[in-house]
Amino acid sequence: KDPTTATSLYNDESSHPVIEYRAHTTSASLGLSTSQKKDESISKPIFLLDVSWPRVIQFYLPSSPACQNFRQHYIQTAREFRHRSVRTSVTFYAVNCAVHGSLCEYDFEILRVPFIAAFAAGSVDMEVLERDEREVNEISLSRLSEVLHSPLNAVEDLGAG
């Protein structure tokens, strides 16, 4: 039994469009040699290598009640944001810190989960959206739109309401 699938919160179809980060897919998708694959997959996750579009990343621990409670909200936020985005495709990732501990601890210095970070298109500069688990109840779509430089259609424009 693969421990990474058993302990991930975002590895099934119900979590679409959130992508569960997996280190091995980073290098394979880039066509790197075996030695480059090892170095790249350790040093740079795909959401830092491909900066063509805006990205939102949730760092989480599957054993954390706060992360478990936040799961459905993160998925709904991803769905609504992608549906309402005017001109850009935004990719939402989830990084399991139980599996990718060094990435969370050393590369991003994650001290508490859930931790939400956003990267505007063309940028590797992280904008922190949520840092303290007591404050993570929801992600403001307007704040996310502002950070990602990605305008949203009004709800009325979508025929809702």
Side-chain angles (χ1 to χ4, degrees):
K1 188 173 177 182
D2 181 0
T4 59
T5 50
T7 60
S8 298
L9 294 180
Y10 298 92
N11 63 344
D12 61 22
E13 290 180 19
S14 69
S15 63
H16 179 75
V18 176
I19 300 167
E20 181 76 38
Y21 168 71
R22 287 173 179 37
H24 66 274
T25 58
T26 302
S27 51
S29 65
L30 297 173
L32 301 174
S33 71
T34 304
S35 61
Q36 288 173 315
K37 284 180 184 182
K38 185 177 180 186
D39 293 341
E40 283 298 320
S41 65
I42 292 170
S43 63
K44 298 277 187 191
I46 188 71
F47 51 82
L48 289 181
L49 290 173
D50 189 350
V51 298
S52 306
W53 56 80
R55 293 92 62 218
V56 179
I57 297 91
Q58 177 194 184
F59 296 89
Y60 76 94
L61 284 170
S63 60
S64 162
C67 293
Q68 293 168 11
N69 293 334
F70 187 67
R71 179 186 183 273
Q72 194 57 43
H73 178 75
Y74 188 61
I75 293 167
Q76 283 305 118
T77 299
R79 289 176 181 163
E80 185 171 353
F81 196 91
R82 288 173 54 113
H83 180 68
R84 291 181 52 193
S85 183
V86 171
R87 65 174 184 259
T88 55
S89 176
V90 176
T91 304
F92 286 78
Y93 290 96
V95 176
N96 182 340
C97 291
V99 174
H100 306 287
S102 63
L103 179 69
C104 296
E105 187 175 349
Y106 301 113
D107 296 346
F108 288 93
E109 299 177 352
I110 306 302
L111 300 175
R112 297 187 128 175
V113 291
F115 181 97
I116 312 298
F119 298 85
S123 176
V124 292
D125 294 328
M126 178 173 71
E127 178 81 28
V128 176
L129 295 177
E130 305 292 344
R131 191 167 205 118
D132 187 334
E133 69 183 71
R134 292 168 298 192
E135 297 171 3
V136 174
N137 294 318
E138 60 183 54
I139 301 171
S140 162
L141 290 178
S142 59
R143 173 79 175 121
L144 196 52
S145 174
E146 172 190 321
V147 167
L148 297 175
H149 310 293
S150 180
L152 298 176
N153 284 312
V155 175
E156 301 82 44
D157 295 342
L158 299 173

